[in-house]
Amino acid sequence: VTSLSKAPRHAGGVVVITGPEGIVEEDAFVCQHCSRMITRPGGVSMDEVSGGCGVCGKIICLPCVNVGTCTPFEKRLERMEARGRFLRSAGLGG
Ligand SMILES: [Zn+2]
Ligand SMILES: [Zn+2]
């Protein structure tokens, strides 16, 4: 059974969920801010489960839309690394 197959229209895939009503296919994609998996059941519009970031233009989840700022996951990691480097160079960190 293939649980993930690439869909060409966005950087996500399709998840196949086996439930009481049989096999259901849902669009699946990853929030580009918090890297949370978002699924879109058939018949539900993209706007109901996700939004677009006005800064980076990526597809993000509704909680990230509500935050209202562009804080991509990778940027957060970069900042943490930069902070670690700064503390080390200042002789303060591990
Ligand atoms: Zn998110
Ligand atoms: Zn963004």
Side-chain angles (χ1 to χ4, degrees):
V1 177
T2 307
S3 59
L4 270 175
S5 63
K6 284 285 179 192
R9 63 188 177 281
H10 55 67
V14 175
V15 284
V16 178
I17 296 162
T18 310
E21 288 163 29
I23 293 171
V24 183
E25 284 194 7
E26 294 187 1
D27 262 358
F29 47 97
V30 173
C31 170
Q32 298 299 305
H33 279 188
C34 69
S35 70
R36 201 163 68 106
M37 174 78 87
I38 309 163
T39 57
R40 184 177 67 91
V44 176
S45 78
M46 288 289 282
D47 294 347
E48 287 180 71
V49 295
S50 69
C53 173
V55 179
C56 68
K58 301 274 176 61
I59 295 174
I60 56 176
C61 66
L62 289 180
C64 285
V65 172
N66 290 334
V67 168
T69 56
C70 181
T71 316
F73 185 63
E74 289 117 45
K75 272 220 179 103
R76 269 212 297 267
L77 281 182
E78 276 172 27
R79 265 212 288 278
M80 277 166 62
E81 276 174 23
R83 188 166 175 273
R85 272 200 299 274
F86 170 76
L87 288 177
R88 272 194 298 278
S89 69
L92 297 172

